[in-house]
Amino acid sequence: MATTHQFGVPLKFIVMNSPCLNSIPPIVRKCVDSLSITGVIDTEGIFRRSGNHNEIMALKERVNRGEDVDLKSVSVHVIAGLLKSFLRDLAEPLLTFELYEDVTRFLDWPKEERSRNVTQLIREKLPEENYELFKYIVEFLVRVMDCEDLNKMTSSNLAIVFGPNFLWSRSTSTSLEEIAPINAFVDFVLQHHKDIYLIDVNQSTVSVD
């Protein structure tokens, strides 16, 4: 396997072999930067509408060959599809197989314990590179939510799209009964991100502006 691969490999492999600032793979940063532009981030159905499959596949192949792809003239839905595909193609889901059982019990947790449990899972049980990338994508999705009047992407809609791309079962296809708590978990994270990410795991002190 070429060291240039960013699709279909473990996240740690990408971090070790690509120029990743704060554990963010270059193609993820490029997608997020492209989708964050005013006039793009407020596109209606930005993550609900499917991009051209052949274009997405061609871009993935170019990235894996180590080419520096230019997304300026690429359709917003193709870029959105590329980001979703990156997550789905990871050798292990971003939220890791280890957290699968915990996350799929989310709806069984008493409501007063959910914030503490979610925070503990994300900040204490995720590997550092997974934590950093999940935090980065969540922060981006919160900006998408800020434009929901235009793009129609509420936290619930984003959770439906990204839940199955953040976490899936190691051994079997994920059932509808398991997808519901995964999506609810992601929805909760999006709605309570400020509480969960109040303290950076890599910093001993927090500066307050």
Side-chain angles (χ1 to χ4, degrees), residues 9 12 47 56 59 67 78 95 103 108-109 114 133 155 157 169 180 187 191 204:
V9 295
K12 189 175 286 291
F47 284 111
I56 294 171
L59 283 167
E67 294 183 30
V78 168
L95 289 179
V103 172
D108 298 329
W109 297 341
R114 288 179 181 177
L133 180 54
S155 63
N157 288 338
S169 171
D187 191 359
Q191 291 190 51
S204 57

Side-chain angles (χ1 to χ4, degrees), residues 36 42 47 69 75 88 116 118-119 127 138-139 156-157 159 189:
S36 296
D42 46 18
F47 284 111
V69 297
S75 157
R88 189 66 201 185
R116 182 192 65 195
V118 170
T119 301
V138 164
E139 289 171 344
S156 175
N157 288 338
V189 171

Side-chain angles (χ1 to χ4, degrees), residues 183-199:
N183 292 353
F185 178 94
V186 173
D187 191 359
F188 185 90
V189 171
L190 292 173
Q191 291 190 51
H192 299 86
H193 65 283
K194 290 183 179 178
D195 297 328
I196 295 168
Y197 291 123
L198 185 62
I199 302 172

Side-chain angles (χ1 to χ4, degrees), residues 3 6 14-27 29:
T3 57
Q6 294 185 63
I14 305 172
V15 172
M16 290 175 62
N17 292 285
S18 298
C20 299
L21 179 63
N22 295 332
S23 299
I24 312 303
I27 189 57
R29 193 175 293 277

Side-chain angles (χ1 to χ4, degrees), residues 11-193:
L11 179 57
K12 189 175 286 291
F13 176 90
I14 305 172
V15 172
M16 290 175 62
N17 292 285
S18 298
C20 299
L21 179 63
N22 295 332
S23 299
I24 312 303
I27 189 57
V28 172
R29 193 175 293 277
K30 186 165 287 192
C31 286
V32 168
D33 286 348
S34 299
L35 293 171
S36 296
I37 299 170
T38 301
V40 175
I41 196 169
D42 46 18
T43 301
E44 184 172 345
I46 181 171
F47 284 111
R48 294 292 289 272
R49 297 179 182 176
S50 299
N52 183 286
H53 176 72
N54 290 335
E55 283 189 58
I56 294 171
M57 293 301 295
L59 283 167
K60 286 164 62 174
E61 290 176 5
R62 290 179 59 197
V63 169
N64 275 355
R65 287 198 299 267
E67 294 183 30
D68 183 18
V69 297
D70 186 354
L71 301 180
K72 288 179 182 176
S73 59
V74 177
S75 157
V76 55
H77 297 296
V78 168
I79 301 172
L82 193 63
L83 179 60
K84 290 184 289 185
S85 187
F86 171 86
L87 293 168
R88 189 66 201 185
D89 288 353
L90 284 170
E92 180 178 7
L94 186 58
L95 289 179
T96 72
F97 291 128
E98 182 183 350
L99 267 59
Y100 185 83
E101 288 190 14
D102 287 321
V103 172
T104 52
R105 288 199 295 264
F106 174 79
L107 293 174
D108 298 329
W109 297 341
K111 289 187 177 180
E112 63 272 14
E113 295 180 10
R114 288 179 181 177
S115 182
R116 182 192 65 195
N117 290 352
V118 170
T119 301
Q120 184 178 38
L121 282 182
I122 292 174
R123 290 190 6 208
E124 296 180 16
K125 293 193 175 182
L126 278 180
E128 181 180 336
E129 59 269 18
N130 295 64
Y131 171 88
E132 292 291 351
L133 180 54
F134 186 61
K135 178 174 182 282
Y136 180 80
I137 293 177
V138 164
E139 289 171 344
F140 164 62
L141 295 181
V142 169
R143 297 199 299 274
V144 173
M145 283 165 47
D146 289 342
C147 302
E148 69 176 63
D149 287 349
L150 295 171
N151 61 32
K152 313 302 182 188
M153 299 306 299
T154 62
S155 63
S156 175
N157 288 338
L158 286 168
I160 289 170
V161 171
F162 279 88
N165 292 314
F166 281 142
L167 187 62
W168 57 87
S169 171
R170 183 198 302 269
S171 55
T172 60
S173 57
T174 307
S175 68
L176 290 175
E177 290 78 12
E178 293 166 320
I179 287 175
I182 291 172
N183 292 353
F185 178 94
V186 173
D187 191 359
F188 185 90
V189 171
L190 292 173
Q191 291 190 51
H192 299 86
H193 65 283

